Amino acid sequence: MQSRIVELRSIFKKKKVSGFVVPSSDEFQSEFCPAHARRLEWISGFSGSAGVAVIAEKKAAFFTDGRYMIQAKNELIRGFEVYNIADKKPWEWANENIKKGKLAIDPWLHSEVNVKKYTDSVEVHFAKENYIDLIWKDAPALPDGTVKLYPQKYAGQKFEDKINDFTAILKKHDANACILAVPESICWLLNIRGTDIPTTPSVLTFAIVFQNGTVKLFIDKERVRQQVLSHFDTKVQIYLRDTLVKEVKSIDKGSIMLDPETAPYAFFELLSKKKIVRYKDPCELPKAIKNKVEIKCAEEVHNIDGLALTRFIHWLECEVGKNRVTEVSVSRRLLNYRREHQDFRGVSFDTIAGFGSNGAIIHYRPTDDTDKEIKGNGLLLLDSGGQYLGGTTDVTRTIAIGKPTKEQITHFTLVLKGHIALSSIVFPEGTTGTQLDVLARQYLWQNGLDYEHGTGHGVGSYLSVHEGPQRISKALDNVPLQEGMILSNEPGFYKEGEYGIRIENLVIVEKKEGLSKGKQQFLGFKPLTKAPIDLKLVDKKMLSNEEISWLNNYHKMVISDLSKSLDDDVKKWLKDTTSL
């Protein structure tokens, strides 16, 4: 890989620049990218989903968040300075280290908001072609999967009605058209799904939605099934991807709506002489607020997923100590349990199965090179999820292998107390995730501990496992949590070099009936995830009566909803292991 850096730097001289920015995202600002867009991994070795490199003529720096710091140090090739992005920003480093010349940026891989951070700090050159693509001669082919119809029995709303709601926003803001740059938004709006990303059933495409209700979708027509074309009728017109720039330039009437946080800066360049309405992606919020059908489907798929995970945990407890079990083999075994259901379509992200010290790597992914045998005494952190036709799941359980230490029990119980506090909270409408985040961290903080990731993220309906705009995090956020939003509740603790702990349930925001006074509505969280929490890691003496009651009631719900579909031996095991 060092030779690739040398080759990249040779381009700097030809292009008369002094550096180049390589983000982990693609032109859709995706967290999970297809193989051809994994430029950062190709040039640096880093395989995580969040990172950026600034490669200058003589120095190079890499930036990521707390989830990936250990992984970055393990994977990056020599020559990169490594920074937690909370401590130093890439544009700050560029300002300090590129004193002469320009920093090149691919305008398709950065939003307007992101570009401004660089242009405010250093002289920027917008590259007409991506420099990595110039030297990556054997890059994988672009995805070419089939576009499929997403039935209304899962979507819960006709795409024509969604478009009507969309165009009402355009009219309100006096915009003739809106360029949609987020594939999940387009899939949600048009009730379609695809296979362009292995773990996310989306279609990598751009779309232009006009105020009159027509839509231009940029994708090769042979990828679109006849059933989908009939579904679209005359509302949606298919255009070749190669015509995107031409069609964007041809929008000749009125102003054009763009989301400065998600649309590539290239669109702002193309439309620089036209009036632009800067506005949040109109699909983002309605997509996040699930309708009644989506909620019902979510509840059903979490029962299905809970059965798979519960059967797996039972198998694991029976298997460890008798036969050889490894991180890779448990990932495959859990996948097989999920595959037993006809609606399962794949994992919602690469399974994180970290035993012992690997569990302390927050987004660790086992490979044949890192695969650990699960034996003796230690903690297994298992974070996994499934894509089902009715919805998306994401669940983490920390499982004690052998006998846990007193320290592990204490830390697990502190994490559990935070999880319960957040699960139990009742809050008024208008409350943001930022305001609730402290509930999950409070017991860790009281012991001088914390974790380097957010507490909760939104989750899609058979779409991305990470969905905005809602989240629960220390980071400042002004998005109120609303009824129908699905989020994760996943506090954790990680002792580098020894073990990791995380407890994650998905929850849905619901109204708390009987608590409203006047116009003031109160909300709370209803758990969707159904899987046992390992009581071998719980110090009952550290729990209040209310916390014990919550834990017992949660397990009663798990038993009630899953038992009828479990074999007798698993049913008995579940009841025996969930009695505190």
Side-chain angles (χ1 to χ4, degrees), residues 399-420:
I399 302 166
I401 305 298
K403 185 177 180 180
T405 66
K406 183 177 179 181
E407 179 189 77
Q408 290 169 343
I409 291 172
T410 296
H411 288 159
F412 182 91
T413 307
L414 292 174
V415 172
L416 175 62
K417 286 169 72 70
H419 179 91
I420 293 172

Side-chain angles (χ1 to χ4, degrees), residues 484-540:
M485 287 181 168
I486 295 176
L487 299 103
S488 66
N489 171 3
E490 51 179 308
F493 173 73
Y494 311 89
K495 188 172 184 181
E496 187 172 348
E498 295 195 31
Y499 58 85
I501 294 166
R502 187 158 64 249
I503 305 169
E504 178 185 18
N505 282 352
L506 295 192
V507 297
I508 188 162
V509 181
E510 64 174 4
K511 274 186 182 176
K512 289 295 181 181
E513 302 295 343
L515 295 179
S516 301
K517 294 180 180 180
K519 295 182 179 180
Q520 183 70 74
Q521 296 286 331
F522 282 84
L523 306 171
F525 296 121
K526 176 184 176 182
L528 290 171
T529 303
K530 292 160 188 175
I533 294 169
D534 194 344
L535 297 185
K536 296 191 297 293
L537 286 165
V538 177
D539 183 349
K540 186 176 179 180

Side-chain angles (χ1 to χ4, degrees), residues 105-124:
I105 285 178
D106 182 343
W108 285 100
L109 303 189
H110 299 265
S111 68
E112 184 188 45
V113 168
N114 198 41
V115 163
K116 191 175 187 303
K117 295 170 182 175
Y118 287 97
T119 55
D120 286 349
S121 302
V122 68
E123 190 175 1
V124 168

Side-chain angles (χ1 to χ4, degrees), residues 418-438:
H419 179 91
I420 293 172
L422 183 57
S423 296
S424 306
I425 190 64
V426 174
F427 53 93
E429 276 188 327
T431 301
T432 68
T434 303
Q435 292 171 293
L436 299 181
D437 182 79
V438 64

